Amino acid sequence: MSLWNRTHNLDRMTLPELVRAFFTYPPVLTYIALSVVSIALVLRWMGSPLPLIPAVAASILVYPLVWYLLHRFVLHGRYLYKNRLTAAGWKRIHFDHHQDPHNLRVLFGALYTTLPTIAAITLPVGYLIAGPAGAAAAFATGLVTTIFYEFCHCVQHLNFAPKSKFLQRIKRLHLQHHFYNEQGNYGITNYAWDKLLGTYYGAPRERQKSATVFNLGYTEEEALRYPWVAALSHGTRGDGNPRRFRVASSEN
């Protein structure tokens, strides 16, 4: 736990340092522990393992679509920062990550958002296919997939040139999302839905550079109208721009 009492900057970390930090991070340990419990329940409840195969497959297939939809329409939507009740959550789960993409502390999803989402996606699908054992198998699959996604996401921001063609490709596409145009390349390891729904771009020349790539549309003008994220950020923007938000007065 003491390892996480300091800031972790991925642009200054090595791969071994990342691996150590990753597998000592409390949410990752939570995913691993819940995966073990879920697998134990599968072994206890299952009859034949055959019905579990489609439950696991369905969980794997639905995950990229759900991530795409959440990433595009919720995390990059602008309605969460416009509400006092949801502004802090949006700041924590995505705004801070785009403000400082190399900060490992805000790269991971928050458990209070990830676990309910994983459960809501996988448990009903697994149960409909193979009953309680199928639900547990699908949930375990969702947790393991999340660990894989999160680790790949870390590598995408790590100061490290992967040898794997797969990692090279997803790293390039994801960094374009962060540093060139955030309105595309919403996938993490799978960009099939970006291609199907018209948000994929393979190179910067295919898109115009976005003026909101770091602030996700939460500009100075928006901060005046919806001051909660700016107040929580102490009026500053951490995207390398020295300008400060003009935090709205109490009369607003």
Side-chain angles (χ1 to χ4, degrees), residues 72-93:
R72 180 179 178 181
F73 296 108
V74 178
L75 300 183
H76 281 264
R78 299 188 179 184
Y79 51 87
L80 291 179
Y81 71 67
K82 296 181 179 181
N83 188 305
R84 184 193 298 267
L85 298 178
T86 56
W90 179 76
K91 174 185 181 297
R92 161 61 187 87
I93 61 178

Side-chain angles (χ1 to χ4, degrees), residues 6-247:
R6 61 184 178 84
T7 299
H8 290 73
N9 294 312
L10 286 164
D11 56 340
R12 299 176 183 174
M13 293 175 68
T14 64
L15 182 60
E17 287 172 338
L18 168 61
V19 171
R20 182 176 173 226
F22 185 87
F23 287 104
T24 57
Y25 188 54
V28 173
L29 295 176
T30 301
Y31 298 143
I32 293 171
L34 289 175
S35 299
V36 172
V37 171
S38 298
I39 292 170
L41 291 174
V42 170
L43 296 175
R44 180 175 181 178
W45 291 338
M46 76 174 183
S48 168
L50 292 179
L52 301 180
I53 296 174
V56 170
S59 182
I60 293 172
L61 290 173
V62 76
Y63 198 103
L65 173 59
V66 173
W67 168 254
Y68 175 89
L69 295 174
L70 289 174
H71 192 189
R72 180 179 178 181
F73 296 108
V74 178
L75 300 183
H76 281 264
R78 299 188 179 184
Y79 51 87
L80 291 179
Y81 71 67
K82 296 181 179 181
N83 188 305
R84 184 193 298 267
L85 298 178
T86 56
W90 179 76
K91 174 185 181 297
R92 161 61 187 87
I93 61 178
H94 213 55
F95 179 72
D96 285 350
H97 177 49
H98 272 262
Q99 292 279 279
D100 185 0
H102 299 307
N103 184 352
L104 189 57
R105 280 185 172 275
V106 295
L107 181 147
F108 297 99
L111 283 179
Y112 64 84
T113 61
T114 58
L115 286 179
T117 303
I118 296 167
I121 296 166
T122 60
L123 291 176
V125 171
Y127 188 85
L128 288 172
I129 294 173
F139 186 55
T141 302
L143 291 166
V144 172
T145 303
T146 299
I147 295 169
F148 175 70
Y149 265 52
E150 293 282 35
F151 187 76
C152 287
H153 193 191
C154 290
V155 171
Q156 287 167 331
H157 290 281
L158 184 67
N159 184 18
F160 167 73
K163 295 181 180 179
S164 162
K165 295 293 186 182
F166 168 74
L167 287 176
Q168 289 175 10
R169 176 176 175 271
I170 65 171
K171 183 182 180 79
R172 173 175 54 81
L173 294 173
H174 187 66
L175 292 182
Q176 288 172 187
H177 171 82
H178 269 279
F179 295 99
Y180 192 77
N181 189 313
E182 81 285 6
Q183 298 168 24
N185 291 354
Y186 293 103
I188 295 295
T189 65
N190 187 318
Y191 292 89
W193 289 103
D194 281 284
K195 291 181 179 180
L196 286 171
L197 298 176
T199 54
Y200 175 85
Y201 64 102
R205 65 178 179 275
E206 298 174 18
R207 290 287 178 97
Q208 189 172 29
K209 186 171 176 58
S210 171
T212 57
V213 71
F214 295 116
N215 60 40
L216 306 186
Y218 189 68
T219 60
E220 289 188 85
E221 291 73 23
E222 288 289 87
L224 288 172
R225 299 178 63 191
Y226 310 104
W228 306 293
V229 171
L232 291 168
S233 302
H234 307 293
T236 63
R237 190 165 52 231
D239 58 8
N241 189 321
R243 292 181 300 169
R244 290 179 175 270
F245 281 126
R246 296 187 299 272
V247 180

